Amino acid sequence: MLEHITLMLALLGVLSLLCQWLGWALRLPAILPLLLCGLLLGPGIGFLNPDALLGDLLFPIISLGVAIILFEGALTLNFKEIKNHGAMVTRLVTLGTLITWLCISVATRYLFDFSWPLAILFGALVVVTGPTVIVPLLRSVRPKKELASILRWEGIVIDPIGALLAVLVFEFMAVASTPATHVLQALAYMLVLGFGLGAFAGYAVGRLLNSRLLPHYLRNTAVLTIMLAVFVGSNTIQEESGLLSVTVMGIWLANMRGVDIDDIIEFKETLTVLLISALFILLAARLDSAALLSLGWEGLALLAVVMLIARPISIWCCGYNTGLSAPDKWFLSWVAPRGIVAAAVSSLFAIKLEAQGIANANLIVPLVFLIIIGTVVIQSLTAGLWAKTLGIKTGSPQGLLIFGASAFSRALAKVLISKNITVILADNNYDNIKRARMDDIPIYFGNPTSEHAELQIDLSQIGRVLIMSPYRQLNPLVNFHYQDILGADKVFGLNNVDPNNKQARHQFSESYLQRLRLFGDAVSYSKLATLMAKGAIIKSTQINENYSYADFRASYGDSALPLLYIENEKVRIITADNGDNIPAQVELISLLPSEAQQPIKAPAATA
């Protein structure tokens, strides 16, 4: 028996990893392979029975998993970021959430004869979209930059808000279902404990992180352990208050001044793959196929309300007087796939409500999974065609993500931004990021290969990645990471490998070394840094029939370094392979060392 349990748990880990990889390879939300895997192994062939496998441990595992999901989601709810992303995002996560909640609750009440509290709980569960389903969809559809930003930030922010609403409604139901308690008094105790303990724990952890009492390698472990202790302790003092406590704790940490939680948020990446993915397979395997099929036309009608009524009403009400066009609003009206938060939280609540004898509680999980499957599958398959039909799909993106925010990168970014080219600078060096921010250059501070970066960096307008940092250990990781996302021919790096160090060259494959030819074979980070320190500048020059590339060379000599050119609004990167093959009608961006800044002869036409 023990060997069987060990085998099944190991298999869950392997399948979780495989489903995550499959989602990445197919450019689909990972939730789809996870769903299909769980449904196949559980109700499909009956191979995986979570209740029989884990027994009494199933409920604690789901409880702790949901607590982690809510806490990590709450860590992303920074109120400043809501204000920084426009009126539309702010309205969507406030007014839009209320409209969606109301529409779905009313529809559920009358389609399935739910009690009002249960219908309101279900409505709160499925208002969330989530970045894990939105980001892969946007990457494949590539809508206009403004629309991609709205959808991405809505997914990030609404996760903890929707979960908090669901927790509050559930706690009201839990209290109301106990005849021996006074509803308002018990609910007040629960809210005071949840908000009070959560705020205190968030503040205490924030102070702990800012102190020197913890070594850096214990930060993530300490925060996770304390969070679980708060969850269990809160539930011990007042039953069902733990989820509220950890959600408030995460929100407090996210908005506490001077607390760096970026590395803690990145820790979610490992948890998602190892814990949340396995949990999602278990939840899907528990699904009763007969209950799912029994939803009948009412289930399809509810899905139609979610997709065709609630979402469009929300978008058009929130989009009033925001400058969004009608096609913009129609596209936003169609894209709102539901994610893993709804599935995990609903499964936990359903178990508790069924134990309390709440009528129709057994339909909560099948309904939530129906909404998830319907929205993810239908919208993933049709969003691209819908965007193309509405005319809001961008062409080939021309923007640049530059890893390394050195003086050279900042100077290049400023020139490109002046030409209406999207540029994002990413760096681990805070001083470089601070200088870039002062120059009004879009930035990302941290590791650009992390899951946090995947959620924060808007790649919808990024077509190429330039790796121009001094970090020899991280550069290859960034290179391979973005080759997987954008393609091998879209990632370029400087040649920072010492040609005399044979051992260093043997550490990399020849295919990787071939990508290190940005701006030329002999151009390295140290060379560019040296030239900038000696007064080099970046200049834009019009190359045309009156002033050819040969004239440019004659004017500035061989020390001028061409970097890239813009041809018919398309950015072309110069490498060792195409260094002197400059077309006749382009705008050339080049680096001029101090000795080349006085033209040898006056150019015929420059810009």
Side-chain angles (χ1 to χ4, degrees), residues 89-270:
V89 174
T90 305
R91 292 181 187 179
L92 277 177
V93 299
T94 52
L95 175 63
T97 299
L98 292 176
I99 292 173
T100 304
W101 188 13
L102 176 63
C103 291
I104 297 175
S105 300
V106 172
T108 308
R109 168 74 174 89
Y110 291 106
L111 284 172
F112 290 93
D113 197 28
F114 278 15
S115 64
W116 275 114
L118 191 62
I120 292 172
L121 173 64
F122 178 79
L125 286 169
V126 293
V127 297
V128 296
T129 55
T132 56
V133 287
I134 285 291
V135 171
L137 188 149
L138 294 176
R139 191 179 296 154
S140 61
V141 174
R142 292 194 180 278
K144 293 193 311 186
K145 179 179 179 180
E146 300 88 339
L147 302 183
S149 180
I150 289 171
L151 289 171
R152 191 168 57 90
W153 278 102
E154 179 197 13
I156 292 172
V157 173
I158 204 172
D159 249 2
I161 290 178
L164 181 60
L165 289 176
V167 168
L168 291 174
V169 175
F170 170 76
E171 290 180 348
F172 174 80
M173 292 182 63
V175 172
S177 65
T178 306
T181 63
H182 189 283
V183 174
L184 294 180
Q185 183 181 18
L187 184 62
Y189 287 153
M190 192 173 292
L191 294 180
V192 169
L193 179 65
F195 280 99
L197 181 59
F200 173 76
Y203 175 77
V205 170
R207 292 297 299 270
L208 179 64
L209 292 176
N210 281 345
S211 70
R212 297 186 178 181
L213 297 177
L214 281 178
H216 189 272
Y217 75 93
L218 283 180
R219 284 167 57 92
N220 291 335
T221 306
V223 172
L224 178 62
T225 304
I226 294 172
M227 181 274 296
L228 293 177
V230 169
F231 172 69
V232 175
S234 183
N235 276 340
T236 303
I237 298 172
Q238 175 68 51
E239 192 175 357
E240 314 300 352
S241 64
L243 293 178
L244 178 58
S245 294
V246 297
T247 303
V248 173
M249 177 182 171
I251 295 174
W252 189 282
L253 266 178
N255 293 276
M256 191 170 174
R257 290 185 179 180
V259 180
D260 181 14
I261 59 171
D262 286 343
D263 55 340
I264 298 170
I265 295 176
E266 286 185 28
F267 187 51
K268 182 185 175 185
E269 186 171 2
T270 303

Side-chain angles (χ1 to χ4, degrees), residues 7 58 86 133-134 146 160 169 219 234 279 288 305 326 335 372 400 430 457 461 478 522 534 546 581 596:
L7 174 64
L58 179 63
V133 287
I134 285 291
E146 300 88 339
V169 175
R219 284 167 57 92
S234 183
L279 178 63
D288 186 350
V305 169
V335 180
I372 292 173
L400 300 178
Y430 181 74
I457 299 177
Q461 301 299 311
V478 177
K534 291 182 178 180
N546 297 321
N581 298 326

Side-chain angles (χ1 to χ4, degrees), residues 145 409-411 413-418 421-425 432-444:
K145 179 179 179 180
S409 298
R410 298 193 301 270
K414 285 192 285 187
V415 171
L416 291 174
I417 291 173
S418 71
I421 303 296
T422 299
V423 180
I424 301 174
L425 296 184
N432 286 343
I433 288 296
K434 181 173 66 174
R435 292 186 178 96
R437 187 184 287 119
M438 291 174 64
D439 289 334
D440 291 327
I441 301 172
I443 54 92
Y444 175 76

Side-chain angles (χ1 to χ4, degrees), residues 590-604:
S590 57
L591 179 69
L592 300 183
S594 56
E595 64 269 19
Q597 291 175 25
Q598 296 298 324
I600 298 171
K601 64 178 182 179

Side-chain angles (χ1 to χ4, degrees), residues 330-350:
W330 282 121
F331 176 75
L332 294 175
S333 298
W334 184 242
V335 180
R338 269 54 178 183
I340 193 170
V341 171
V345 178
S346 66
S347 297
L348 176 62
F349 288 174

